[in-house]
Amino acid sequence: MSKFRFDVVQEAFKKKAEDLADYSNKRPSDYFGELTFNREKMCKYLDAQAFKAIVNCMDNGAPLDRATADKVAEGMKRWAMEHGVTHITHWFQPLSDCTAEKHDSFMESDGKGGIIETFNGKSLVQQEPDASSFPNGGIRATFEARGYTAWDPMSPVFIQDDTLCIPTVFIAYTGEALDYKTPLKRALKAVGDAALPICKLFDSHVNKVYSYLGWEQEYFLVDEDLYAARPDLMITGRTLMGHSSSKSQQLDDHYFGAIPTRVAAFMRDLEIAACRLGVPLKTRHNEVAPNQFEFATIFGEANLSNDQNQLMMNVMQNIARRHGFVVLMHEKPFDGVNGSGKHNNWSLGTDTGVGLMAPGKDAKGNLQFVTFFVNVLAAVQKYNSVLKASIASATNAHRLGGNEAPPAILSTFLGKTMTDVLRKLLEVPSETPIEIAGKKGRSLGLVEIPEIFVDNTDRNRTSPFAFTGNRFEFRAVGSSANCAGPLTTLNAAVADQLISFKADLDKELATGKTLNVAVMDTLKPIIRSVIDVVCFDGNGYSEEWHKEAAARGLDVETCVPKMFKAFTTEEVVEMFTRTGVYTKTELEARNEVKWEKYCKKVQIEARVMGRMAMNHIIPVALEYQTSLLKNVSKMKDVFPDEYKNMSAGTIALIQKLNKYIEEIRTKVSAMVDARKEANKLPDGYEKAMAYYAIAQSLAEIRRPIDKLEEFVDNGMWPLPKYRELLFIN
Ligand code: ADP
Ligand code: MG
């Protein structure tokens, strides 16, 4: 029996959370963003000069002087104290993969034995947390040990409970990024800067290009008390053992099904909490696996949208506990049913409101769309390995290559319409306009995009990077990941491709060609190079695709520690340094962190697996075996002549038990020995490779355990089973 006091925990969560019942009669638009220090609050709590300065800082990146920062801090403090706030924290995203916060109260000595509440510009703008305990891949060993956090004014300050949270970057004193946000911001700048001069050729009014993110967060819910009785779920986030339930997802009756009442209540509370924090959760539904659900937000500027995802991952957990649930963010908490991803819907758009991944209003707009579209394909092809590496992790590995999205091959899905458009463009003269079909009466049979296209793109659920009418959906990202990792790589790769495209385009333009002809002449060789390589509309799960992808030269590696090596190839290091996104030192350091994290995650799983096998499973199997042995010996007492016949089945069971018990013992002991050997390896990569083998062996240990679960007395089985964990009543 579990000794976990979930009733006490739940009580604490109830006390901690604000009463959301007050909001049931209000409209979301009445309280959207009420816990964020947004422009509306800035206008109210700052004087005209400070307001102008902070807006200039947010919109144009202008620096904020100390006196203005003091005024902004003072305004924030006034607003926050009206909400009962007593503390502030810099809120950042270190490479430990969870957000970090250290709370300081507003309290300051008044010098006369009393206290006053203060908050100044200096503590708003910069702080020095002790960086030594955060993963840094050796950056601090070779440089200064200190790190600092610096305010990111692009993401609004927000209130959680009694604390004012200030989103910040986290960097070493020498400037190296120690977090996810810093490189993301660099990549967003790089892609914006690279796209701008191209957009200007189409419309001189464009002054800025934004990168957008719309995330869809998949997750599982489990009952808190069942969770507490599963050491593997509590410690590793996934079940390391467990026979599949007789019924799981085979009837397809969960996807888009009616949302269970308890879950609906959780979702409602979460939506209110999100709305107050300015996070526009738009969509909620049941996902494919039992107990699996999804939230999707309205897309927004990528840096902010990613902060909101990080914040929501925490808030979801807090609100779930109030409802007696635990949220599982792990990519594969249960074997044999679908895992969870976090689709990153990604696009670029201009400050004039034009989406660059959607067909335009006229032929010129369509040409601009095709330009960006083709360059994205080229970037995904050229930086195929590193893009895949950007979504790789010990936990996502269980989802990668499984018979569900994503396959471990990063191809792009275009759909029939766009495939036809690209093929047609290769055949026609470069000056041919790309029309929206139906707009000009009769079809001319040239290059056309159907008018209803955007809302009706065909879907392919097996593609890890799919075009869906006005955006690309990067589906390979794992549910527990910080989107900033993959988005940094994607935006940097696209930035780099756009820079090289623009250089080629300029050469064409210099020969006196019109924009249309010059663009098409530059695009055509790119289209030819991608259309039969990275573009693939077929079934990404099929065996044949794996063979074909390898023949096409796409990366088909499935070993996660090996995948990380893609970050430090010469070509990739050059791409990241050219775009100013990562230095070589940062890339090398991050790989060290990744290998180390991989080892530790597998090590923890292996320990839990070993201990559960030895002190949960084997004792119970022995106990059951003993009861069977007693049965046989009693049979012998009562039926001395017939007992052998009568007990044949029971004896077979005893032998079967023995076989599995011995198999578990042998495999656990081999795994423990392998761990000892792995731990001796000094090199990060070598050690990760050794742990990769250990990770595979866990599945082998699991098999006999799951077999035992099938026939050991249900009353003795020490763990909640899948059939209990996966169904919420
Ligand atoms: P589906 O599951 O059918 O793919 P959802 O409605 O769950 O669709 O999620 C779609 C996501 O795509 C939402 O987060 C939405 O805001 C986002 N999105 C829509 N248009 C764009 C765009 N142009 N750029 C980025 N994200 C977008
Ligand atoms: Mg969805």
Side-chain angles (χ1 to χ4, degrees):
M1 248 341 263
S2 155
K3 299 181 189 76
F4 188 66
R5 295 295 311 275
F6 60 88
D7 52 336
V8 178
V9 174
Q10 206 174 331
E11 200 49 41
F13 273 101
K14 269 194 188 136
K15 279 210 187 91
K16 184 168 171 251
E18 64 275 81
D19 191 1
L20 300 170
D22 288 356
Y23 289 82
S24 55
N25 295 323
K26 290 188 190 166
R27 279 189 294 206
S29 55
D30 291 338
Y31 56 90
F32 182 74
E34 71 175 13
L35 294 180
T36 60
F37 195 69
N38 53 20
R39 285 184 197 224
E40 187 195 324
K41 262 72 139 243
M42 286 174 185
C43 189
K44 192 168 159 198
Y45 287 85
L46 303 180
D47 67 25
Q49 178 273 330
F51 178 70
K52 240 174 98 178
I54 181 77
V55 167
N56 194 22
C57 167
M58 293 188 305
D59 290 349
N60 309 312
L64 208 60
D65 63 70
R66 178 61 202 275
T68 314
D70 279 341
K71 282 190 195 168
V72 175
E74 180 57 32
M76 279 178 185
K77 187 192 79 184
R78 255 191 320 125
W79 167 72
M81 285 178 66
E82 285 171 16
H83 285 273
V85 165
T86 52
H87 286 66
I88 68 139
T89 183
H90 276 198
W91 181 84
F92 56 104
Q93 299 164 33
L95 300 177
S96 52
D97 278 2
C98 32
T99 54
E101 43 192 87
K102 172 182 164 247
H103 298 197
D104 285 315
S105 87
F106 285 142
M107 204 157 58
E108 208 58 78
S109 159
D110 67 356
K112 299 174 201 137
I115 53 144
I116 47 166
E117 280 90 12
T118 64
F119 179 41
N120 60 26
K122 187 165 168 283
S123 6
L124 165 66
V125 172
Q126 192 174 317
Q127 290 195 356
E128 280 179 39
D130 172 17
S132 59
S133 303
F134 294 103
N136 56 77
I139 281 181
R140 283 174 314 101
T142 40
F143 300 92
E144 273 226 49
R146 282 179 302 169
Y148 68 93
T149 52
W151 179 34
D152 172 18
M154 309 306 287
S155 184
V157 163
F158 59 91
I159 295 173
Q160 265 201 303
D161 301 320
D162 58 3
T163 304
L164 186 68
C165 302
I166 300 156
T168 58
V169 295
F170 179 40
I171 43 190
Y173 253 90
T174 38
E176 280 90 3
L178 297 174
D179 66 349
Y180 283 103
K181 192 189 244 293
T182 309
L184 176 62
K185 284 175 73 77
R186 292 176 189 157
L188 297 177
K189 181 174 181 332
V191 81
D193 288 353
L196 184 61
I198 301 172
C199 291
K200 274 189 175 297
L201 293 172
F202 290 91
D203 177 4
S204 60
H205 297 99
V206 176
N207 283 315
K208 199 161 180 170
V209 176
Y210 295 100
S211 176
Y212 295 110
L213 165 67
W215 46 265
E216 302 169 52
Q217 177 75 56
E218 294 179 347
Y219 60 97
F220 280 84
L221 289 176
V222 282
D223 267 312
E224 201 169 36
D225 49 348
L226 297 178
Y227 172 83
R230 293 279 320 209
D232 47 358
L233 267 186
M234 284 189 77
I235 293 175
T236 72
R238 74 177 179 110
T239 54
L240 296 171
M241 52 191 69
H243 197 282
S244 56
S245 168
S246 313
K247 173 184 184 288
S248 58
Q249 66 185 45
Q250 62 270 59
L251 295 177
D252 290 329
D253 53 353
H254 195 257
Y255 190 56
F256 283 14
I259 299 172
T261 309
R262 260 178 80 199
V263 177
F266 151 73
M267 288 177 164
R268 169 99 189 113
D269 276 359
L270 179 72
E271 282 162 350
I272 292 170
C275 189
R276 298 184 72 202
L277 285 163
V279 182
L281 292 185
K282 170 137 174 103
T283 306
R284 59 185 188 205
H285 61 82
N286 288 8
E287 258 300 327
V288 173
N291 269 4
Q292 192 189 26
F293 306 92
E294 177 186 302
F295 273 113
T297 179
I298 296 175
F299 73 95
E301 190 278 318
N303 172 44
L304 174 59
S305 183
N306 185 52
D307 281 358
Q308 293 182 335
N309 179 248
Q310 287 292 300
L311 175 57
M312 277 305 109
M313 287 168 75
N314 276 333
V315 176
M316 281 169 82
Q317 203 57 274
N318 287 344
I319 304 260
R321 299 306 288 261
R322 299 182 61 203
H323 292 264
F325 289 131
V326 173
V327 177
L328 303 180
M329 290 284 178
H330 194 288
E331 282 79 0
K332 195 82 177 173
F334 304 102
D335 207 36
V337 295
N338 273 24
S340 300
K342 179 149 57 195
H343 296 180
N344 281 208
N345 292 271
W346 171 85
S347 69
L348 299 173
T350 67
D351 59 346
T352 53
V354 175
L356 296 170
M357 299 298 158
K361 288 197 193 78
D362 50 24
K364 199 173 180 186
N366 287 332
L367 183 65
Q368 177 172 256
F369 156 57
V370 169
T371 302
F372 280 95
F373 182 80
V374 168
N375 276 298
V376 171
L377 303 180
V380 176
Q381 178 160 315
K382 185 162 180 201
Y383 298 111
N384 201 251
S385 302
V386 73
L387 267 173
K388 190 168 79 179
S390 77
I391 55 99
S393 67
T395 52
N396 206 18
H398 297 282
R399 192 172 151 257
L400 272 175
N403 199 19
E404 56 179 300
I409 301 163
L410 214 72
S411 59
T412 58
F413 168 81
L414 309 190
K416 182 164 179 349
T417 303
M418 286 313 296
T419 308
D420 288 350
V421 166
L422 295 194
R423 293 211 189 274
K424 195 92 198 203
L425 283 171
L426 291 178
E427 290 163 17
V428 298
S430 289
E431 58 272 22
T432 314
I434 309 165
E435 300 289 0
I436 302 286
K439 276 229 160 147
K440 294 209 162 159
R442 270 199 56 197
S443 159
L444 299 171
L446 291 174
V447 187
E448 292 180 336
I449 301 175
E451 205 169 359
I452 50 150
F453 171 62
V454 172
D455 297 325
N456 291 279
T457 46
D458 33 354
R459 296 283 178 125
N460 176 330
R461 292 284 166 198
T462 71
S463 175
F465 197 88
F467 179 63
T468 46
N470 65 350
R471 62 191 187 272
F472 281 92
E473 232 180 290
F474 196 178
R475 302 202 185 113
V477 183
S479 48
S480 72
N482 186 321
C483 308
L487 281 183
T488 299
T489 301
L490 175 61
N491 283 295
V494 172
D496 194 60
Q497 171 60 31
L498 290 174
I499 292 165
S500 106
F501 169 79
K502 177 67 168 49
D504 293 344
L505 176 62
D506 285 345
K507 282 181 215 145
E508 296 291 339
L509 286 169
T511 65
K513 289 178 183 172
T514 63
L515 179 64
N516 206 336
V517 172
V519 167
M520 275 322 303
D521 284 353
T522 318
L523 282 181
K524 276 180 179 174
I526 307 179
I527 297 174
R528 265 183 222 110
S529 72
V530 295
I531 194 100
D532 293 313
V533 181
V534 80
C535 304
F536 175 68
D537 281 8
N539 179 5
Y541 303 160
S542 71
E543 279 287 317
E544 304 84 72
W545 169 232
H546 286 242
K547 283 188 207 119
E548 187 186 328
R552 288 183 183 201
L554 294 176
D555 187 311
V556 293
E557 183 58 64
T558 55
C559 166
V560 165
K562 262 191 208 157
M563 285 183 204
F564 296 147
K565 289 217 149 184
F567 273 106
T568 49
T569 62
E570 205 180 318
E571 194 191 22
V572 168
V573 171
E574 275 171 18
M575 178 276 279
F576 278 125
T577 42
R578 209 162 35 231
T579 48
V581 173
Y582 288 120
T583 62
K584 190 166 187 238
T585 312
E586 286 172 332
L587 286 165
E588 285 168 352
R590 268 159 209 260
N591 264 5
E592 289 302 325
V593 172
K594 285 180 180 173
W595 285 318
E596 195 182 328
K597 201 183 298 171
Y598 183 89
C599 291
K600 286 185 175 159
K601 289 232 163 157
V602 178
Q603 186 181 52
I604 291 167
E605 286 194 347
R607 284 178 177 158
V608 174
M609 174 61 114
R611 284 166 200 174
M612 283 177 77
M614 300 314 284
N615 52 39
H616 281 74
I617 306 304
I618 290 189
V620 166
L622 290 174
E623 194 184 332
Y624 181 51
Q625 196 182 38
T626 307
S627 75
L628 297 178
L629 284 165
K630 273 190 196 148
N631 175 282
V632 175
S633 95
K634 291 256 155 55
M635 290 291 252
K636 192 177 169 192
D637 293 347
V638 182
F639 307 105
D641 302 328
E642 301 131 286
Y643 92 94
K644 271 201 177 150
N645 258 346
M646 290 172 76
S647 294
T650 312
I651 290 171
L653 219 54
I654 293 169
Q655 286 164 334
K656 205 159 130 186
L657 275 162
N658 223 54
K659 182 180 138 235
Y660 289 132
I661 291 169
E662 284 316 309
E663 189 180 340
I664 296 169
R665 280 189 178 135
T666 317
K667 285 179 173 168
V668 167
S669 137
M671 182 265 284
V672 172
D673 288 346
R675 245 162 53 206
K676 282 186 193 143
E677 288 308 308
N679 292 342
K680 286 185 201 148
L681 296 169
D683 178 73
Y685 171 68
E686 297 298 333
K687 194 166 166 179
M689 286 304 287
Y691 268 100
Y692 175 73
I694 294 169
Q696 315 311 307
S697 77
L698 297 188
E700 294 301 313
I701 301 174
R702 174 185 187 136
R703 206 169 302 144
I705 295 179
D706 291 355
K707 286 275 178 211
L708 285 176
E709 190 190 312
E710 264 194 308
F711 67 93
V712 167
D713 179 356
N714 187 58
M716 289 181 179
W717 197 252
L719 302 167
K721 297 183 174 181
Y722 271 27
R723 64 159 190 264
E724 294 154 309
L725 291 165
L726 279 170
F727 294 92
I728 284 170
N729 299 307

